[in-house]
Amino acid sequence: MKAAIYSTYGSPEVIDIKDIEQPTIKEQDRVLIRVHSASVNTLDYLYRKGYLPTRMDNGLTKPKSPILGIDVAGTIEAIGENVCKFKVGDHVFGSCFGSHSEYVAPRVNSLSHMPKNITFEEAAAIPCAAQTALQALRDVAQVKQGQRVLIYGASGGVGHFAVQLANYFGAEVTAVCSTSNLNWVKELGAQYVIDYTREDFTDNGNKYDLILDAVGKRTFFSCLHSLTEKGLYITEHLFFPKYHPFQLMIGSLIGRKKAKIHFTKPNERDLDFLRGLVEEEKLRPVIEKCYPLEQIVKAHQHIESGRTKGKIVLRVK
């Protein structure tokens, strides 16, 4: 099968398309998926570049797992003996390492049936980013009706799902993004929009119950005076250079305001929930561009530029 392989850390050009052995089902709680589409996430380029925290997980000098990809949408071609939820021929989507290849063999506890009203490309855009937004808003922040929520980086992969989900939970949503994305982010459900190229939201005097930094470009201290007395700041991006862990530790001791790091935990329950929202047309993925697997270098260059509108997706089959 064809797969996008990187045997060393570095620029997008270290990725090459190679023929490798197709995976098989070695554990009975796994399925074999023929990959139709897989998205490209920020985590993919962090692993490819070899940021220190990712090297601790994937090898200090060279990658132990040389196939990138954490989202998948495809068709089941074989199932393990213990698999009851799926059958051969089912269309599925979910979280799966190594999805930038023609076949993968994930465990079923990170998969769900694909929503009936979207394409494989759209389904592949959902798992990581939408679960990140969902868990940050629902589980960590426990967002409630009427709370004021600000999403920084609202036009990105996580951000555009966060805007829709915060609106679904009944929050008053302020979306921060660039000029060209203001209108479509408002169409997703944001009541207010702020153009970060013209205004710093921390200077307008407004206070929020939750500030979700979906792109890792702000710090807790910079947002401190924009939080309500019991306000919460959440960041997802532990690996970014602009992120300073000590600010969270010290910041959480200041008054009753708190800061938290959120690490996404993929699971079928949340995927089932998101599938329901998509089928009810209460949530939709936005895809900026689809690249064929053979153009994965261009896809990485695109996502690393930081100028994305929604998600970048690979079309594998």
Side-chain angles (χ1 to χ4, degrees):
M1 72 171 187
K2 292 181 179 180
I5 303 291
Y6 75 120
S7 56
T8 186
Y9 299 117
S11 67
E13 288 73 20
V14 302
I15 309 173
D16 194 16
I17 304 298
K18 295 183 178 181
D19 287 316
I20 64 171
E21 185 178 352
Q22 181 176 309
T24 57
I25 301 175
K26 297 179 180 179
E27 299 171 57
Q28 298 310 310
D29 62 343
R30 293 181 180 267
V31 297
L32 179 67
I33 298 175
R34 177 164 57 92
V35 180
H36 291 274
S37 298
S39 65
V40 181
N41 290 281
T42 300
L43 194 63
D44 293 315
Y45 92 69
L46 291 174
Y47 268 81
R48 187 255 305 152
K49 289 189 75 169
Y51 276 77
L52 181 58
T54 65
R55 287 180 186 243
M56 299 299 291
D57 175 58
N58 198 36
L60 290 175
T61 59
K62 64 179 182 179
K64 292 186 296 185
S65 300
I67 307 176
L68 294 167
I70 54 176
D71 291 331
V72 67
T75 302
I76 291 181
E77 294 214 338
I79 62 174
E81 290 183 2
N82 296 337
V83 175
C84 300
K85 184 177 180 179
F86 305 107
K87 65 182 185 299
V88 172
D90 281 351
H91 293 173
V92 296
F93 77 122
S95 300
C96 173
F97 286 109
S99 61
H100 294 172
S101 58
E102 292 184 313
Y103 290 89
V104 288
R107 287 187 169 86
V108 295
N109 60 5
S110 59
L111 300 173
S112 179
H113 289 95
M114 207 173 86
K116 298 176 182 178
N117 55 337
I118 61 174
T119 64
F120 284 109
E121 288 83 3
E122 291 171 318
I126 295 172
C128 178
Q131 285 186 98
T132 296
L134 174 64
Q135 292 173 15
L137 293 167
R138 182 196 62 194
D139 303 336
V140 180
Q142 298 181 5
V143 170
K144 297 178 178 62
Q145 180 87 22
Q147 287 188 317
R148 304 186 73 191
V149 174
L150 181 138
I151 312 295
Y152 194 88
S155 62
V158 173
H160 87 285
F161 284 120
V163 169
Q164 296 176 77
L165 289 166
N167 181 65
Y168 172 77
F169 290 130
E172 178 188 285
V173 183
T174 298
V176 182
C177 58
S178 61
T179 310
S180 61
N181 293 321
L182 293 175
N183 288 335
W184 75 268
V185 167
K186 197 165 186 178
E187 291 174 359
L188 293 179
Q191 284 81 21
Y192 304 98
V193 291
I194 296 175
D195 182 349
Y196 74 83
T197 68
R198 298 180 180 180
E199 176 188 352
D200 186 341
F201 75 89
T202 61
D203 294 332
N204 63 21
N206 292 328
K207 294 187 181 294
Y208 304 92
D209 300 293
L210 170 67
I211 295 176
L212 174 60
D213 181 2
V215 287
K217 293 187 177 180
R218 301 304 298 243
T219 63
F220 175 59
F221 283 168
S222 72
C223 299
L224 188 61
H225 295 295
S226 297
L227 289 169
T228 59
E229 182 182 356
K230 298 181 181 180
L232 174 65
Y233 163 89
I234 299 178
T235 185
E236 180 78 15
H237 293 280
L238 179 63
F239 302 141
F240 276 85
K242 290 186 178 181
Y243 170 73
H244 303 291
F246 76 90
Q247 293 199 25
L248 294 186
M249 293 184 289
I250 297 175
S252 293
L253 301 176
I254 298 176
R256 302 175 72 178
K257 302 176 183 181
K258 294 188 179 297
K260 293 185 179 181
I261 311 168
H262 168 55
F263 296 98
T264 309
K265 299 177 181 178
N267 64 85
E268 60 182 324
R269 179 180 65 91
D270 286 346
L271 286 170
D272 289 343
F273 177 77
L274 293 167
R275 180 190 64 190
L277 292 184
V278 172
E279 291 183 339
E280 293 169 11
E281 298 185 349
K282 295 177 180 178
L283 183 74
R284 65 182 178 93
V286 175
I287 298 176
E288 180 174 2
K289 189 166 183 177
C290 289
Y291 292 88
L293 180 63
E294 290 74 14
Q295 293 183 16
I296 191 170
V297 171
K298 290 184 179 180
H300 270 251
Q301 291 169 341
H302 191 157
I303 194 121
E304 194 169 354
S305 73
R307 298 185 296 273
T308 58
K309 174 184 175 180
K311 295 283 292 180
I312 304 301
V313 174
L314 293 174
R315 187 178 295 111
V316 180
K317 287 243 184 183

